[in-house]
Amino acid sequence: SSNKQIQQHMIDVSPGDGGKQQGLYAQLLMQGSKPKEETEEEKRQKLVDELIRLATKILNGLRQHRTAAYFMKPVDKGSFGGESPEEKEAAFNEYLKIIDHKPMDLTTVTEKARGGEYKSPLTFRDDMRQIFKNCRAFNTDPESIVHIAGEKLSDTFEAKWKESGIEDLWEAGEIRPLVARVESRTCLSLHNHHPEAYQKRQSGKVKFEDDHTQRMWSLCLQVLRELKGHSASWPFLKPVDPAVDNAPNYFDTVSKPMDLGTITDKLANRQYENPSEFKADIELVFDNCFAYNKADDNVVRKAGEELRSYFKSRWEKSDIESKFQSGSKSGEMSKEDEMWRECDRIVHFLKKHKCAKSFLKPVTEEHFASSELWEKYKEVVKRPMDISSIARKQKKRRYKTIDEFKDDVMLIFENCFKFNFPGDPVHKAGQQLKAGFKARWRKLQEKFGLVKVVTKPVEEAWRKAQELVKNLTENDLSVSFRAPVDRISVPDYYDVIKNPMDLCTIQRKLDSKQYANPSQLREDMLLLFANCKQYNTEGDPMRARGEELLGLFETMWKESEIDALFEAGSQDSGGESQGPANTTASDGTAIQEATAQLSNDSDDLMQEQSNHNRSLDDNDETSNRKVPDHETADANALSVEGTGAERGPKKVAIVEGVEEGEGDTTVPSIETDANKLGDGAATDVVHGDVVPPSSMTVWQECQKVVFMLKKHKSASAFIQPVTVATFGDPQLWEKYMQVVGTPMDLSTISDKLKERSYSSPVELMDDILLVFENCYKFNYSVDPVYQSAVEVQEKFLKRWIALESKYHLDSGIGSQTSGDVLDEIWSKIK
């Protein structure tokens, strides 16, 4: 029964007893419809209360900051040193003198805000800034902990204060977010208890029924922002005030005033039914301007003409009206809206990716261990970008095209790779996130037909080539052709066959993308069968198998149409070769991208390789010279089938190719580069046979050694040059220079190696050993840096001895153990 009574009270809005009595809700509704007018003082106090409430949120966030502990409580006498109370009081008085007797702290600001002592948000701001001003005045040393903490907290406050927009709201004299919240509560009450009044109140407002409508209003808002930002918009930003603007008869001429500020409010409140009404209000601004300012030389009229011309061109370019109409008629999302929806999904994908943690929020000084790193970051990264900023811009539809959206996402990865070392975890996370984004972006392009995949025929050609080689390898006839020929079992094979080939080598070259086009793959296949025919006499079973497999290859090649596909793809792409290609070293082996990345200077290393290395073609007849048979490390081998006694001459089954890790039998001349190696010219040793390697191969190994040292867990003290800043004491620095004499570090070595300042690897070794020798001279054996040097040097010596053994470098330590070398160095130091 009580519920029924409550319900009666809620719906009883009709007059009773001849209109003398009314329901409870009706009375409240009538009272609410005639609110008591507030005085200017009351309005101002409400504004202050709301702004201080917003400022208090900033204050609460600062109190949780890790550097806020120094500024939490008031500074008192106990905060200063001194044995006696008099000394402490004297120090405290000196502090007050320095800060002009204006102490301030976070607790005091909090109490003043809670007690309603602030009559303006600007007073709150000044009190906060006074805290940091006092900190700078008293802690003058920029390197002091309190000074650094104060600067970090000050930067955080200023950023939050600017983001809140409190000063702008105070100057405007109103808080639109607050008004919007009050209005929303009023609308909800009307909707629940008085639907007719709610519908009447909502008349004239456009509801967001779909993404297309939202997109259209976003475009209108974008045009409006551009108009307000135009240099000629200054007379039209606010309503005309006849007294202030010296236009006493303005409203006699203009019956329907309009300005860009009013249009902004109407657009925000969705008082336009369609973009045409929005456009009509914009044009009304200019009509009023021309009606009142009739003189051609009037400044305001000229500004109106300039701004109207800009608006017309911008409105025609955006084509908002036709887009709105097409979307309304179809009732479906347009292609453009679907693309933006897909971009929303990409943003969600980026935010939820397992590697996105480092890229979610803007990079600030708090992310770095020192202010020097932060300054370095700002120097390297000119345009910071993060996922949250992209999400915010995308939500507000700030991007004009999806290409702008993509550019911002790619900017995140560009900044990451600029600042972070390739081995850094953040760099690796950026690579994974970029790969995920590119995959999603590729799907978007294919879904909406934004890009024509011109390389598809070429990709299909290489796919069929892979499939062809695989099928041949799996065929029973190819058993004798799958692996390189065994040199021991068939010692005379390489006297006959100078350019061996096998399916394993072909597959490896195909996987490592050494073929520039499928024709080169076909030439290697034909070489394999030609070698088989050349070595095995007619009637031999192996020769018959080779001929049968050759026929099968020709049939498969013709049916796959690999050449035609590749040629069609190359023509579509403007004649550029779409096939995979790799740089080859002078020993004929492929230089893999992963190997090049092992160096800190991988880009420079790959550039040097492309400049100095010379690729080899397996059947190139114009090679500089042939390696003599007794020197050949890259020889083919074959397995014996049958006995030679029964056939006369030895008949063996040919299995073409080179052994694992070996190159071709032809090498170009490398005398110029080899001379740089000095007396200890490096050589490659394979199964006892020695061939001159490329000097680039040796220098590449040296790059790897230096890179390994710089990445060692104990090498941090030896990477950068030792300077005065390292010690912090000029006298200690002078002593270091007297003891050491010739400083050396791994970064200097890396630079010299990159610039080719070393005439031989032995000189490189001497510089590396000098790093450790300097450490042993200056530091005691119990020092941690001394122990680190021992650990890193032992690792280096093991790696270097292995390198000497491989390339026959003559540095004098190859025959010694790492322990012997260390003992010899330490004995010299002692």
Side-chain angles (χ1 to χ4, degrees):
S1 60
S2 60
N3 293 335
K4 291 181 179 180
Q5 293 175 0
I6 295 174
Q7 187 177 11
Q8 290 175 358
H9 280 293
M10 292 179 64
I11 64 175
D12 186 11
V13 295
S14 60
D17 296 336
K20 297 179 180 180
Q21 298 180 0
Q22 289 180 324
L24 175 62
Y25 181 75
Q27 295 177 18
L28 295 175
L29 186 61
M30 291 185 64
Q31 294 175 3
S33 62
K34 298 179 180 180
K36 181 182 177 180
E37 292 187 3
E38 296 178 341
T39 63
E40 291 297 327
E41 184 177 353
E42 288 175 339
K43 291 181 180 179
R44 183 179 181 85
Q45 187 58 44
K46 281 189 176 182
L47 178 63
V48 171
D49 293 341
E50 181 65 15
L51 293 181
I52 294 300
R53 187 187 67 80
L54 295 176
T56 304
K57 288 187 176 182
I58 299 176
L59 178 60
N60 293 336
L62 292 178
R63 290 169 64 92
Q64 301 298 323
H65 199 277
R66 62 181 181 178
T67 61
Y70 299 102
F71 316 99
M72 193 64 68
K73 298 180 180 180
V75 177
D76 54 18
K77 299 177 183 179
S79 304
F80 297 92
E83 297 182 358
S84 64
E86 292 77 12
E87 292 178 349
K88 291 185 177 182
E89 185 174 0
F92 179 66
N93 292 334
E94 181 66 22
Y95 167 76
L96 293 178
K97 183 179 179 181
I98 293 175
I99 65 173
D100 295 331
H101 296 274
K102 294 180 181 179
M104 189 54 61
D105 60 277
L106 295 177
T107 300
T108 301
V109 175
T110 303
E111 292 175 354
K112 291 178 68 175
R114 291 175 179 175
E117 298 183 31
Y118 290 115
K119 302 304 180 183
S120 165
L122 303 184
T123 311
F124 170 89
R125 177 203 64 187
D126 294 340
D127 276 356
M128 290 296 300
R129 289 177 175 174
Q130 186 65 42
I131 298 176
F132 310 122
K133 182 180 179 181
N134 294 344
C135 174
R136 298 186 189 100
F138 188 75
N139 303 279
T140 56
D141 183 8
E143 300 299 327
S144 67
I145 298 177
V146 180
H147 184 95
I148 295 174
E151 291 301 316
K152 288 185 177 181
L153 196 63
S154 175
D155 292 343
T156 303
F157 168 73
E158 295 296 342
K160 295 294 183 183
W161 182 260
K162 183 178 180 181
E163 182 181 350
S164 67
I166 293 177
E167 288 191 41
D168 295 335
L169 295 173
W170 176 251
E171 293 176 1
E174 60 177 342
I175 308 179
R176 287 177 185 148
L178 177 62
V179 174
R181 289 197 297 273
V182 174
E183 183 182 25
S184 65
R185 288 197 294 268
T186 304
C187 292
L188 181 60
S189 176
L190 287 173
H191 181 268
N192 293 335
H193 304 293
H194 206 347
E196 294 179 0
Y198 173 78
Q199 292 294 338
K200 184 177 180 180
R201 187 183 184 95
Q202 291 296 104
S203 62
K205 292 187 179 181
V206 177
K207 286 79 177 176
F208 287 115
E209 297 179 353
D210 52 39
D211 288 345
H212 176 73
T213 305
Q214 295 184 35
R215 176 65 180 165
M216 293 302 102
W217 293 127
S218 296
L219 292 175
C220 290
L221 180 60
Q222 185 175 334
V223 172
L224 182 58
R225 281 178 179 152
E226 294 178 4
L227 285 179
K228 294 170 70 175
H230 196 277
S231 59
S233 66
W234 59 271
F236 315 106
L237 296 176
K238 297 180 180 180
V240 175
D241 188 333
V244 176
D245 298 328
N246 194 23
N249 59 341
Y250 181 78
F251 291 111
D252 296 338
T253 306
V254 177
S255 58
K256 294 182 179 180
M258 186 57 61
D259 62 278
L260 298 181
T262 302
I263 294 174
T264 303
D265 293 339
K266 292 179 68 174
L267 185 60
N269 295 326
R270 296 299 185 262
Q271 295 180 16
Y272 296 114
E273 289 286 350
N274 51 62
S276 298
E277 291 185 3
F278 167 80
K279 176 187 177 184
D281 268 0
I282 297 286
E283 293 178 340
L284 180 59
V285 174
F286 305 127
D287 292 341
N288 293 342
C289 170
F290 303 145
Y292 187 78
N293 304 281
K294 297 181 179 180
D296 295 337
D297 58 347
N298 185 279
V299 178
V300 177
R301 184 182 181 90
K302 290 182 178 180
E305 292 174 349
E306 182 180 352
L307 192 62
R308 183 178 65 171
S309 176
Y310 176 77
F311 169 71
K312 284 186 175 182
S313 62
R314 184 67 183 84
W315 187 259
E316 292 175 359
K317 183 179 179 181
S318 61
D319 197 23
I320 298 175
E321 290 180 287
S322 61
K323 290 180 181 178
F324 182 83
Q325 292 298 329
S326 61
S328 302
K329 292 179 181 180
S330 63
E332 299 179 356
M333 292 180 63
S334 64
K335 179 180 178 181
E336 184 180 9
D337 292 325
E338 289 181 1
M339 285 192 295
W340 287 117
R341 177 66 65 86
E342 194 65 32
C343 290
D344 291 336
R345 296 191 182 101
I346 291 178
V347 172
H348 181 75
F349 163 78
L350 293 174
K351 293 170 69 174
K352 297 299 182 182
H353 196 280
K354 63 180 181 179
C355 299
K357 184 177 180 181
S358 301
F359 313 100
L360 288 175
K361 298 180 180 180
V363 177
T364 62
E365 187 175 1
E366 299 175 6
H367 292 86
F368 298 94
S370 64
S371 57
E372 290 79 6
L373 278 177
W374 169 241
E375 295 299 328
K376 182 66 176 177
Y377 177 82
K378 292 191 293 185
E379 179 183 344
V380 174
V381 178
K382 302 300 183 182
R383 294 175 55 213
M385 185 54 62
D386 60 279
I387 296 176
S388 63
S389 298
I390 293 175
R392 187 163 52 251
K393 292 175 67 176
Q394 173 63 12
K395 183 178 180 180
K396 296 180 180 180
R397 294 298 189 256
R398 297 285 179 84
Y399 294 109
K400 298 179 181 179
T401 64
I402 63 171
D403 288 333
E404 289 186 6
F405 169 81
K406 178 188 176 184
D407 291 342
D408 269 3
V409 177
M410 295 302 294
L411 182 59
I412 295 178
F413 308 125
E414 180 182 341
N415 294 340
C416 171
F417 302 149
K418 275 184 179 179
F419 187 76
N420 298 283
F421 185 75
D424 190 89
V426 178
H427 190 283
K428 294 180 180 178
Q431 287 181 323
Q432 294 188 36
L433 191 61
K434 180 181 180 181
F437 167 73
K438 291 182 71 175
R440 293 294 295 261
W441 191 258
R442 183 69 179 179
K443 290 181 180 179
L444 181 148
Q445 290 179 314
E446 294 175 354
K447 178 178 179 180
F448 297 102
L450 301 180
V451 62
K452 182 180 178 181
V453 186
V454 298
T455 57
K456 189 173 182 180
V458 173
E459 294 173 357
E460 182 67 13
W462 288 114
R463 188 191 66 78
K464 288 190 174 184
Q466 285 275 10
E467 185 179 352
L468 185 148
V469 175
K470 179 182 177 182
N471 292 337
L472 283 179
T473 305
E474 293 176 351
N475 192 287
D476 293 339
L477 295 173
S478 68
V479 173
S480 302
F481 303 89
R482 293 173 183 172
V485 176
D486 183 8
R487 176 191 301 275
I488 300 176
S489 301
V490 192
D492 67 329
Y493 177 77
Y494 297 104
D495 296 335
V496 179
I497 303 300
K498 302 302 181 182
N499 293 310
M501 186 55 59
D502 64 280
L503 293 175
C504 179
T505 300
I506 293 174
Q507 184 65 59
R508 185 170 64 248
K509 293 175 68 175
L510 186 60
D511 293 339
S512 59
K513 302 180 181 180
Q514 295 185 47
Y515 293 116
N517 53 65
S519 298
Q520 294 182 1
L521 167 65
R522 176 180 171 81
E523 291 173 1
D524 275 356
M525 294 294 297
L526 296 178
L527 176 63
L528 185 153
F529 300 119
N531 291 343
C532 174
K533 183 177 181 180
Q534 180 181 354
Y535 187 81
N536 298 281
T537 59
E538 187 173 356
D540 188 275
M542 289 302 99
R543 181 168 179 171
R545 292 178 187 176
E547 292 174 351
E548 186 176 353
L549 194 63
L550 172 61
L552 180 61
F553 163 73
E554 292 288 7
T555 302
M556 295 172 62
W557 186 269
K558 183 178 180 180
E559 292 176 352
S560 62
E561 298 181 344
I562 295 176
D563 287 331
L565 284 172
F566 186 83
E567 184 178 356
S570 299
Q571 291 176 353
D572 291 341
S573 59
E576 296 181 3
S577 176
Q578 301 294 322
N582 234 13
T583 306
T584 55
S586 54
D587 60 354
T589 57
I591 300 173
Q592 301 297 325
E593 181 181 359
T595 302
Q597 291 179 345
L598 289 175
S599 171
N600 185 22
D601 306 306
S602 58
D603 294 338
D604 298 320
L605 179 60
M606 292 302 292
Q607 181 65 31
E608 292 291 340
Q609 289 169 341
S610 63
N611 291 340
H612 295 283
N613 290 7
R614 304 173 64 181
S615 302
L616 295 180
D617 194 337
D618 293 81
N619 56 350
D620 187 1
E621 297 180 358
T622 62
S623 301
N624 295 344
R625 66 183 181 89
K626 296 282 186 177
V627 176
D629 294 340
H630 66 280
E631 295 180 354
T632 303
D634 303 323
N636 290 10
L638 47 91
S639 58
V640 180
E641 177 164 316
T643 59
E646 297 175 353
R647 301 171 180 238
K650 183 185 299 183
K651 302 293 184 180
V652 292
I654 178 171
V655 181
E656 305 290 342
V658 296
E659 295 184 351
E660 186 72 22
E662 298 178 359
D664 297 332
T665 57
T666 58
V667 296
S669 175
I670 55 173
E671 294 179 359
T672 303
D673 287 336
N675 290 336
K676 293 183 180 181
L677 298 177
D679 297 334
T683 55
D684 285 333
V685 181
V686 183
H687 302 301
D689 295 324
V690 180
V691 296
S694 165
S695 65
M696 270 307 304
T697 304
V698 179
W699 289 118
Q700 183 180 350
E701 290 294 330
C702 292
Q703 288 271 20
K704 293 179 183 178
V705 171
V706 175
F707 177 76
M708 177 272 296
L709 293 178
K710 293 174 70 175
K711 296 299 292 182
H712 195 279
K713 62 181 181 179
S714 302
S716 58
F718 315 109
I719 295 178
Q720 299 296 334
V722 178
T723 62
V724 181
T726 307
F727 298 98
D729 184 356
Q731 295 181 352
L732 195 58
W733 163 249
E734 293 178 2
K735 181 180 178 181
Y736 175 81
M737 293 302 297
Q738 291 175 1
V739 174
V740 170
T742 307
M744 187 54 62
D745 61 276
L746 295 179
S747 293
T748 301
I749 293 173
S750 180
D751 293 339
K752 291 176 66 177
L753 187 59
K754 183 168 62 175
E755 296 169 359
R756 294 307 182 92
S757 300
Y758 295 109
S759 60
S760 70
V762 178
E763 292 184 5
L764 169 66
M765 181 201 69
D766 292 339
D767 269 0
I768 295 176
L769 292 178
L770 181 59
V771 175
F772 308 118
E773 183 179 345
N774 292 342
C775 176
Y776 302 142
K777 284 182 179 180
F778 186 76
N779 300 280
Y780 294 103
S781 60
V782 294
D783 290 339
V785 67
Y786 190 102
Q787 301 298 327
S788 298
V790 173
E791 184 178 352
V792 177
Q793 184 177 17
E794 184 174 0
K795 184 71 174 178
F796 162 70
L797 291 174
K798 290 180 180 179
R799 184 72 175 264
W800 190 263
I801 291 173
L803 187 145
E804 284 189 347
S805 176
K806 180 177 181 181
Y807 293 106
H808 282 202
L809 301 178
D810 184 13
S811 64
I813 68 170
S815 59
Q816 306 178 59
T817 64
S818 60
D820 295 336
V821 177
L822 284 173
D823 292 339
E824 181 180 347
I825 294 174
W826 291 336
S827 62
K828 292 180 180 179
I829 297 173
K830 295 176 181 178

